[in-house]
Amino acid sequence: MNFIAALVPILFMQATQPHIIPEEIKEEALIALSHYPELANTPIEFKFKKHIEKSTMQAQPAFWSVFRQKKKRKYKILISEKIKIADSVYLTKDIPSKIMIGWLGHELGHIMDFRNRSGLNLIGFGIRYLSSKRYIRKAERRADSFAVIHGMEDYILATKEFILEKAGLTERYVNRIKRLYLSPEEIMLLVEERDAVVD
């Protein structure tokens, strides 16, 4: 009886904590999630992966979730285990905390974008994302916008500064970021617009 009594709170905690987060980034992920109360009960798995093509992180619906009702979908945020900086390779989990929070906040912005789309629309999103640079740009800028609207501008700006100026990333990668994502100036304009609405 004591064993069952002890087990019930654990099972309840698991049922009410739908996020699966590796210990290495748990603190950063929880801070990023705290900015998105709408995702509190949305199942999201944060998962390290050996390599992600052309990216450091990637948000996506779990495959079969595309065919589920919106409220029953599950999502994944895949995180590349390593990132190449200049001529060196670093473990992604060792990136400064504030930068990691900003990166995760951007990926959660993608999930905010996904959550109100129909299954058919999500399939179309995936096809267009793979085939159109213009569509990639729109999608990435929407994710940035969601993060800023949810009060993550300090983290997003820190992440951009790290990528564009401090990380020593390849020129090709930096130019891709500049082309596809909101610039620091555009982020500050969004902040002004957001704060004007609040006032």
Side-chain angles (χ1 to χ4, degrees):
M1 188 69 177
N2 288 339
F3 172 76
I4 294 173
L7 190 60
V8 169
I10 295 171
L11 292 174
F12 178 76
M13 281 180 63
Q14 289 177 342
T16 56
Q17 298 291 328
H19 307 127
I20 300 171
I21 308 169
E23 281 300 322
E24 300 96 320
I25 59 164
K26 192 160 194 175
E27 183 179 346
E28 290 82 2
L30 290 175
I31 291 171
L33 281 163
S34 72
H35 287 267
Y36 292 92
E38 306 96 323
L39 299 177
N41 297 311
T42 300
I44 303 171
E45 180 182 7
F46 297 76
K47 186 177 181 179
F48 282 107
K49 191 176 177 182
K50 289 200 177 210
H51 177 71
I52 302 173
E53 190 67 32
K54 296 182 180 179
S55 188
T56 302
M57 296 188 192
Q58 187 178 77
Q60 60 188 40
F63 181 74
W64 292 110
S65 284
V66 171
F67 306 102
R68 292 184 176 185
Q69 296 176 7
K70 295 173 186 177
K71 290 183 179 179
K72 294 184 177 180
R73 285 195 194 127
K74 297 179 180 180
Y75 298 92
K76 292 181 181 181
I77 293 180
L78 303 176
I79 305 158
S80 179
E81 290 180 356
K82 297 176 182 178
I83 180 172
K84 186 173 182 181
I85 299 178
D87 295 324
S88 302
V89 176
Y90 296 86
L91 296 176
T92 305
K93 68 181 180 65
D94 293 335
I95 288 173
S97 183
K98 192 171 185 178
I99 311 305
M100 177 62 75
I101 294 167
W103 236 317
L104 293 172
H106 171 85
E107 297 306 322
L108 290 169
H110 279 300
I111 292 177
M112 287 295 295
D113 187 17
F114 297 156
R115 66 198 292 266
N116 291 318
R117 294 175 180 266
S118 68
L120 191 60
N121 186 282
L122 278 173
I123 292 169
F125 177 96
I127 292 169
R128 283 176 286 183
Y129 192 93
L130 291 172
S131 60
S132 169
K133 289 182 180 178
R134 181 180 293 181
Y135 196 78
I136 292 173
R137 185 171 187 267
K138 287 181 179 179
E140 297 300 346
R141 292 165 73 87
R142 272 198 306 273
D144 269 350
S145 297
F146 273 114
V148 173
I149 289 166
H150 283 76
M152 296 201 70
E153 62 272 10
D154 288 346
Y155 298 110
I156 298 296
L157 286 168
T159 303
K160 289 189 185 300
E161 182 183 5
F162 176 78
I163 292 170
L164 299 176
E165 299 175 19
K166 294 183 177 179
L169 294 167
T170 64
E171 185 178 353
R172 183 179 178 185
Y173 189 90
V174 169
N175 287 337
R176 184 173 184 269
I177 297 300
K178 286 180 178 179
R179 184 175 71 252
L180 297 179
Y181 298 77
L182 291 178
S183 68
E185 292 77 18
E186 288 172 313
I187 288 172
M188 293 316 298
L189 282 173
L190 261 182
V191 170
E192 288 178 14
E193 290 172 8
R194 180 199 68 197
D195 292 348
V197 171
V198 173
D199 292 341

